[in-house]
Amino acid sequence: MLEINQVRKEYRDVLQTITAVAVDHLRIATGEQIALVGPSGSGKTTLLHLISGLLIPTTGEIKFNEIILSSMPETWRDTWRAKAVGYVFQKLNLLPSLRVRDNLLVAMSFANVIPKKEQQQWAIQLLDQVGVSDKLDKFPHQLSMGEQQRVAAARAVVNKPSLILADEPTASLDQDNGLLVLDMLRQFAKESGSTLVVSTHDRQIMNQFERICFLRKPSEEVSGSATSNRLA
Amino acid sequence: MRLLIAWRNLLAKPVQSGLTILIVAAAIAMLAVVTLLSTGTHAGLVRATEPFDLIVGAKGSPNQLVLNTVFLKDVPIGNVSYEIYEKLSENPLVDSAIPLAFGDNYKGYTIVGCGSDIFFHQPKVGQQEWLQFAAGRPFSVPFEAVVGAKAAQELGLRLGDEFKSAHGFIPGGHAHDHAYQVVGILQPVNGPYDQAILVPIESIWLAHEKHESKVEGEAIEDSDEHDHEHEVTAVLVKPKGYSEAMRLYQQFQQEKGAQMIFPAQVIVQLFSILGQGEQMLRSIAYIIIVMGLIIMALSVYWSALGRARDRSILRSLGASAKDIFTVILAESALLTILGVALGILTGHGIYLALVKVMESKAAIVLTSGVTLEEIYIIIGGTLFGILAGLIPAALTYKIDVAKYL
């Protein structure tokens, strides 16, 4: 269960305080798949960073399976993220200096979830599942955008995470490739019982989800502290 | 895996990484060459002087006397009377005195007129004789010759071969009539005497008597230069012990016609003069190393700044800030290790080339191998490189992940 309560993320500069995201309350059940929707600047990416523990909220708390992420020390959050979170970004997901296979191995090296002896085989198996097993020793720049995103999807699930976050994973892909990547993530999440949160502004993508959470720009809030999200 | 990331990051910018490695390597190579040359030359020079406890020769420059007698270079200062040799050989403080006479050459190889007791000369008590035979025997009558290992090899001389010496120290001088016969070939001594041709001192006197007669016959007045009869160029003196050496040295200060020197001491003095130049080269090398490390730190820093997105991705994969720090530091460490390794290899390559030149030109055999100072350079260079890498690592490992993802 992922729970977000009264979370605000603010950035301060000399003249003003900018609220990047504000969420009153959001609960996502274990194994649930949701689409996170909102206009540009509504804080979708920031919210995903907060959920992944890359950022900590200015106020409020984020709990995942009863663990309060926002109060964990940074190193614990790093370890938790390595083991429990799979993250896909919009583009430039892969480490350009590493070969395709190594991009998966590096993710496994931080998590230590898959036994060392099985890591190579598991990486090859996953890359085979996403259709790039013939590109194991290629560098990311030698792959098409669609292939890169498929490798990124494989990397996101390589540690069998309980939470998969995808930040507009189809935005830089054509429709076919976009749907293919999304199907992969949804399929994996379904099979492994992982929670999947996908941010998107693509209507075709969001329509595939049973639950859609809308995130409004924090500045649009009358109270300045609450952002509503609703079930579609 | 962190090391692999660091390595791949370096490979991703081959020109930048290559240049950084080359700069570090150049500095280390320079320092290595200076160190190896210093150590090797010092050891080579000292080893060359080992058989020569004390040398007596004409008054003048001690350096010239050492260069001429020990290293067979330069021209002799002059001659001293045979009487000085006789007095020395009868001195109770002296274990042995060997007369040496120079003045002739064969194809540029110095002919050393000497007493046959040189073949029994032991640099240190209990050690084996300085000159060992690879073939043949010591000379026993005038105009027999014993050839040094390198001279025999380069001149192609074998036992039984005959050759005629020429007057002077460089090839092309007036040839003497009487031929020498090779009766012995020496084993290498790893010193200048590998290039010497040893003959009985009487041969030198006889050859020069004939040469002077000829010159007189041609009515050329040059009697001073050719007045070699019963004179020696130098005397190799082995005292009975250290205290005897000091007493002998003091006694000899009264002698007006000759000087007595400790060759090792002269070499040390010579080395201290050379040492100033060496120190300057070392200082330059250290400056280049510091500059190299600064460039390396800047290179890693700029490279790390340019890979902010990569580091953000790593953080999203669960890498801690410490992991990022380790990767950046590993990049510096790899650059340094490769630079130091390449520098040491290059340094040894240059040094080996110089050794060949020194051996052929100066007849000094330089020692090879890894020196203690070099180990300090390797450890110190690597440690300083890693320390320099701490700066870019500390400046860039903390990152605003949200800004780049």
Side-chain angles (χ1 to χ4, degrees):
Chain A
M1 169 80 74
L2 176 67
E3 271 187 270
I4 299 171
N5 294 314
Q6 302 296 326
V7 162
R8 289 177 76 84
K9 180 64 185 174
E10 293 173 347
Y11 293 99
R12 291 187 178 87
D13 66 15
V14 182
L15 298 173
Q16 58 183 338
T17 298
I18 299 160
T19 303
V21 68
V23 178
D24 282 345
H25 185 69
L26 175 64
R27 285 169 66 122
I28 304 170
T30 300
E32 194 177 1
Q33 300 186 358
I34 71 153
L36 189 62
V37 182
S40 284
S42 60
K44 298 188 294 294
T45 300
T46 305
L47 182 57
L48 292 180
H49 288 341
L50 287 167
I51 295 171
S52 71
L54 280 169
L55 295 176
I56 50 168
T58 311
T59 58
E61 67 174 25
I62 299 173
K63 284 203 286 189
F64 185 76
N65 293 343
E66 299 307 314
I67 302 167
I68 303 172
L69 299 178
S70 39
S71 59
M72 277 165 79
E74 190 184 9
T75 47
W76 290 19
R77 271 185 283 126
D78 293 332
T79 309
W80 171 79
R81 185 168 54 254
K83 291 178 188 293
V85 180
Y87 215 146
V88 184
F89 312 105
Q90 183 178 332
K91 57 181 179 178
L92 298 171
N93 262 303
L94 304 177
L95 291 161
S97 58
L98 296 186
R99 295 175 198 278
V100 164
R101 180 206 310 254
D102 293 331
N103 261 281
L104 268 67
L105 289 172
V106 78
M108 285 190 266
S109 78
F110 293 125
N112 276 324
V113 171
I114 311 295
K116 241 188 169 67
K117 282 181 188 169
E118 297 168 22
Q119 288 182 356
Q120 283 277 352
Q121 193 52 44
W122 176 230
I124 294 167
Q125 191 183 323
L126 271 179
L127 290 168
D128 188 40
Q129 280 177 27
V130 298
V132 287
S133 56
D134 57 333
K135 307 273 167 73
L136 293 176
D137 293 318
K138 300 275 184 206
F139 286 97
H141 69 87
Q142 295 171 305
L143 272 58
S144 70
M145 196 60 86
E147 287 171 330
Q148 285 187 40
Q149 201 66 323
R150 277 185 271 155
V151 174
R155 191 183 59 188
V157 301
V158 77
N159 290 315
K160 302 178 179 173
S162 44
L163 177 62
I164 301 169
L165 305 173
D167 187 8
E168 307 216 26
T170 60
S172 54
L173 303 179
D174 58 59
Q175 197 175 22
D176 290 345
N177 266 311
L179 290 172
L180 186 68
V181 168
L182 190 68
D183 281 348
M184 279 174 195
L185 292 173
R186 295 194 67 187
Q187 187 62 28
F188 178 85
K190 192 177 170 188
E191 286 171 3
S192 61
S194 309
T195 306
L196 175 66
V197 181
V198 177
S199 81
T200 183
H201 57 266
D202 186 330
R203 215 162 265 285
Q204 201 178 359
I205 298 293
M206 69 178 86
N207 284 339
Q208 295 198 14
F209 289 85
E210 289 177 3
R211 185 180 172 200
I212 301 171
C213 296
F214 286 95
L215 202 57
R216 291 182 192 153
K217 280 189 181 181
S219 56
E220 291 171 5
E221 293 305 306
V222 178
S223 66
S225 65
T227 298
S228 64
N229 57 75
R230 66 171 179 82
L231 289 174
Chain B
M1 191 48 80
R2 287 146 191 83
L3 203 60
L4 176 74
I5 298 169
W7 176 243
R8 294 283 192 203
N9 284 347
L10 295 182
L11 289 184
K13 297 201 169 175
V15 176
Q16 189 178 322
S17 304
L19 281 175
T20 309
I21 289 168
L22 280 180
I23 290 167
V24 175
I28 293 290
M30 187 173 170
L31 194 58
V33 169
V34 173
T35 304
L36 285 166
L37 263 183
S38 162
T39 314
T41 312
H42 194 263
L45 290 175
V46 168
R47 191 175 49 221
T49 63
E50 266 175 10
F52 299 84
D53 290 298
L54 285 165
I55 296 172
V56 170
K59 290 229 171 192
S61 160
N63 290 346
Q64 194 178 345
L65 184 56
V66 170
L67 277 174
N68 176 242
T69 313
V70 178
F71 298 102
L72 306 178
K73 296 288 171 190
D74 211 344
V75 291
I77 303 167
N79 289 335
V80 295
S81 72
Y82 192 71
E83 195 190 341
I84 286 179
Y85 157 68
E86 286 178 324
K87 274 203 277 184
L88 278 167
S89 58
E90 288 160 9
N91 192 315
L93 300 171
V94 172
D95 183 50
S96 68
I98 301 165
L100 301 169
F102 303 97
D104 289 342
N105 79 90
Y106 173 57
K107 292 184 178 175
Y109 288 81
T110 305
I111 290 179
V112 182
C114 51
S116 60
D117 44 358
I118 198 166
F119 300 110
F120 305 104
H121 178 62
Q122 293 171 312
K124 285 192 180 118
V125 180
Q127 266 188 354
Q128 63 178 11
E129 283 81 16
W130 173 37
L131 303 173
Q132 302 277 321
F133 279 83
R137 57 169 176 81
F139 52 69
S140 54
V141 294
F143 296 104
E144 285 186 340
V146 172
V147 188
K150 200 168 178 192
Q153 188 195 354
E154 289 176 1
L155 291 168
L157 287 174
R158 293 177 187 176
L159 292 181
D161 285 355
E162 290 193 349
F163 65 89
K164 284 183 179 177
S165 64
H167 191 59
F169 300 95
I170 51 171
H174 177 82
H176 293 298
D177 291 336
H178 208 297
Y180 285 96
Q181 187 181 34
V182 179
V183 295
I185 291 169
L186 295 174
Q187 286 181 14
V189 292
N190 292 325
Y193 273 69
D194 282 334
Q195 296 187 10
I197 297 170
L198 306 178
V199 298
I201 196 164
E202 296 83 2
S203 314
I204 302 282
W205 293 335
L206 286 168
H208 282 250
E209 271 170 18
K210 287 185 180 179
H211 174 73
E212 278 155 26
S213 314
K214 234 179 177 182
V215 170
E216 278 162 15
E218 287 167 11
I220 295 171
E221 284 294 326
D222 197 9
S223 59
D224 281 350
E225 192 184 332
H226 298 286
D227 188 15
H228 294 291
E229 197 175 354
H230 296 294
E231 284 188 336
V232 296
T233 313
V235 183
L236 164 56
V237 180
K238 183 174 172 57
K240 282 186 172 160
Y242 179 73
S243 60
E244 285 85 353
M246 299 313 289
R247 279 162 59 199
L248 193 63
Y249 184 75
Q250 280 182 338
Q251 275 181 17
F252 214 82
Q253 299 312 305
Q254 316 298 324
E255 183 65 52
K256 290 207 170 100
Q259 64 173 330
M260 178 178 272
I261 57 159
F262 287 96
Q265 200 178 41
V266 173
I267 288 298
V268 168
Q269 284 166 355
L270 198 65
F271 223 77
S272 69
I273 297 167
L274 294 173
Q276 292 169 10
E278 179 202 326
Q279 200 50 48
M280 199 177 75
L281 282 174
R282 261 175 217 267
S283 304
I284 293 169
Y286 282 124
I287 291 168
I288 297 174
I289 285 181
V290 171
M291 283 169 63
L293 293 180
I294 290 170
I295 290 169
M296 186 203 67
L298 280 173
S299 163
V300 172
Y301 175 69
W302 288 116
S303 172
L305 279 187
R307 280 197 296 271
R309 167 101 188 163
D310 295 8
R311 280 177 288 141
S312 301
I313 293 172
L314 282 171
R315 292 302 308 273
S316 77
L317 295 174
S320 63
K322 197 177 119 196
D323 290 322
I324 304 294
F325 187 89
T326 308
V327 168
I328 300 167
L329 196 60
E331 284 181 38
S332 308
L334 281 170
L335 286 173
T336 309
I337 289 166
L338 289 173
V340 169
L342 183 65
I344 291 290
L345 285 176
T346 310
H348 273 266
I350 294 170
Y351 177 68
L352 285 177
L354 289 173
V355 165
K356 296 273 176 215
V357 174
M358 292 282 273
E359 276 180 21
S360 62
K361 301 278 182 201
I364 302 167
V365 178
L366 304 186
T367 52
S368 302
V370 178
T371 62
L372 187 64
E373 200 174 345
E374 215 178 339
I375 292 168
Y376 292 147
I377 293 171
I378 294 169
I379 296 170
T382 310
L383 282 179
F384 275 108
I386 292 168
L387 279 177
L390 286 173
I391 300 164
L395 289 175
T396 55
Y397 82 104
K398 288 262 183 192
I399 187 166
D400 181 4
V401 178
K403 192 174 161 187
Y404 297 100
L405 289 178

